Amino acid sequence: MSLLDDPPGWGAIPTPAGEFRLSPVRLPADLDLLAGWMNDPEIAAFWQLSGPPDATERHLRAQLDGDGRSVPCLGLLDGAPTSYWEVYRADLDPLARHYPARPHDTGVHLLLGPAESRGRGLGAVLLAALAERILRRRPRCERVVAEPDVRNRRSVRAFERAGFRLQTELDLPDKRAALMVRARVPFVV
């Protein structure tokens, strides 16, 4: 069951970087790949899931066996796994206690796995593509939100280049976060 209208079923999304699609995380098949990414020092600094594969597995199982409010996915670019995503109902998440959540706000977490995928604008391309797809496929969703660690400047910049706007900084239990929002209706200045 998913409270998110089946993100892996949303199909291929053409992007300037290639064909992008979400694929459901499958355990144990995807565990070694994801645990390897979580142990990359650049990723571990912000995801805090480094260590043995069972640390990553516990994190994934909580979502896979949960109520459908968060869906873990591999991001495939031209068929190759290049990213890990969590698409979640931000309005039903503990995050909603820290910002003025609206019904059906949809959140995204992203990590680019292979080191060669980072630092060349791919994150912004994929974030923009997925935000557009979320807003198209979830008509009751008015905003896509994210809360990267404020210290992760590369991530914050990727969200900004993908059309998200910094709303505020939040003190969350595990980090100081930049609340990034991409609204269905363009921001008026």
Side-chain angles (χ1 to χ4, degrees), residues 3-176:
L3 298 172
L4 286 158
D5 312 316
D6 186 32
W10 293 345
I13 306 170
T15 76
E19 183 184 89
F20 171 62
R21 74 173 52 246
L22 295 178
S23 175
V25 166
R26 305 227 188 267
L27 293 178
D30 298 326
L31 184 57
D32 286 342
L33 174 69
L34 291 170
W37 289 350
M38 294 299 180
N39 279 285
D40 177 307
E42 191 174 339
I43 292 169
F46 299 107
W47 279 76
Q48 303 169 356
L49 288 171
S50 62
D54 63 322
T56 300
E57 183 174 12
R58 280 191 303 275
H59 178 79
L60 295 168
R61 285 255 177 242
Q63 294 172 80
L64 293 170
D65 298 340
D67 63 4
R69 74 178 70 190
S70 182
V71 178
C73 300
L74 281 176
L76 307 179
L77 191 59
D78 292 331
T82 57
S83 52
Y84 169 71
W85 297 80
E86 293 172 352
V87 181
Y88 65 99
R89 284 285 300 270
D91 62 322
L92 302 177
D93 189 82
L95 174 65
R97 294 191 294 263
H98 300 275
Y99 83 103
R102 295 182 189 163
H104 299 280
D105 275 358
T106 302
V108 294
H109 295 142
L110 161 68
L111 73 79
L112 293 176
E116 61 273 10
S117 295
R118 297 180 223 139
R120 56 186 188 96
L122 181 60
V125 167
L126 299 180
L127 285 164
L130 184 58
E132 279 300 314
R133 184 60 54 101
I134 289 169
L135 293 170
R136 185 172 303 131
R137 293 300 299 254
R138 304 198 72 241
R140 294 187 296 171
C141 171
E142 294 295 324
R143 305 183 306 176
V144 180
V145 303
E147 81 295 340
D149 191 305
V150 295
R151 297 171 301 144
N152 192 345
R153 291 302 310 151
R154 285 171 61 175
S155 180
V156 171
R157 280 193 306 272
F159 279 101
E160 288 170 340
R161 287 192 311 271
F164 287 74
R165 299 291 174 255
L166 175 64
Q167 296 298 291
T168 190
E169 291 186 4
L170 304 172
D171 288 314
L172 301 179
D174 59 342
K175 66 184 174 185
R176 179 130 178 105

